Amino acid sequence: MKKGQLLNSRISAVISEMGHTDTIVIADAGLPIPASAERIDLALTTGVPDFITTLLNVLSELQVEKITIAEEIIKANHTVWDMITAVVKKTAKAQGKPIETAMVSHERFKEMTKNAKAVIRTGECTPYANIILHSGVVF
């Protein structure tokens, strides 16, 4: 049995297959998922699992060099934005490397998901609770 924090086999497999600059998306329940990306649907009901818990678990195994967020989150969902900022800061410290933050329009964000290896759909039902994680390298 896997010893690490992340138990979902599909998420673990996608992370293990990622190379430098590949992307994976963690999405709220409403984000459209392009046919070109693998859909990993974790949503059970409203709020389960939530976005931040999913983000924390993915970050426990993925080396990240950059995140991309829709700029609309700052005004529409400041609570989740603050939590993302705190989690990313803590992750960067643990990795020993900075994590760049890019802000784009929600429309541009949706276009960018077409290049993702996978989109993890959560049960989050708050606006703009989505993030693109850009894989880094551990060396």
Side-chain angles (χ1 to χ4, degrees):
M1 177 176 225
K2 187 172 175 356
K3 186 177 179 181
Q5 179 176 325
L6 182 61
L7 297 178
N8 184 283
S9 62
R10 275 312 307 141
I11 297 172
S12 291
V14 169
I15 290 171
S16 72
E17 295 165 358
M18 289 180 72
H20 188 216
T21 73
D22 284 345
T23 61
I24 188 169
V25 177
I26 301 175
D28 61 30
L31 187 74
I33 299 174
S36 57
E38 179 178 350
R39 174 192 293 255
I40 302 173
D41 198 341
L42 303 181
L44 296 174
T45 189
T46 301
V48 179
D50 66 279
F51 173 82
I52 292 296
T53 300
T54 306
L55 176 62
L56 285 166
N57 279 277
V58 170
L59 290 175
S60 74
E61 292 201 15
L62 179 64
Q63 181 78 20
V64 175
E65 70 177 17
K66 178 181 175 181
I67 64 166
T68 302
I69 302 284
E71 58 199 7
E72 290 89 345
I73 194 172
I74 295 172
K75 288 185 180 178
N77 196 350
H78 204 271
T79 301
V80 170
W81 168 244
D82 286 345
M83 288 190 281
I84 290 169
T85 302
V87 166
V88 169
K89 183 178 180 180
K90 183 178 177 182
T91 301
K93 184 176 180 180
Q95 290 183 167
K97 294 182 179 184
I99 298 175
E100 177 187 346
T101 299
M103 306 295 287
V104 298
S105 71
H106 188 59
E107 289 306 312
R108 175 73 181 121
F109 184 94
K110 290 188 286 188
E111 282 296 313
M112 292 175 72
T113 65
K114 293 177 182 175
N115 296 319
K117 295 283 184 185
V119 177
I120 302 167
R121 181 176 176 256
T122 69
E124 185 74 37
C125 290
T126 63
Y128 306 105
N130 306 293
I131 191 169
I132 299 173
L133 304 172
H134 303 256
S135 180
V137 292
V138 295
F139 53 87

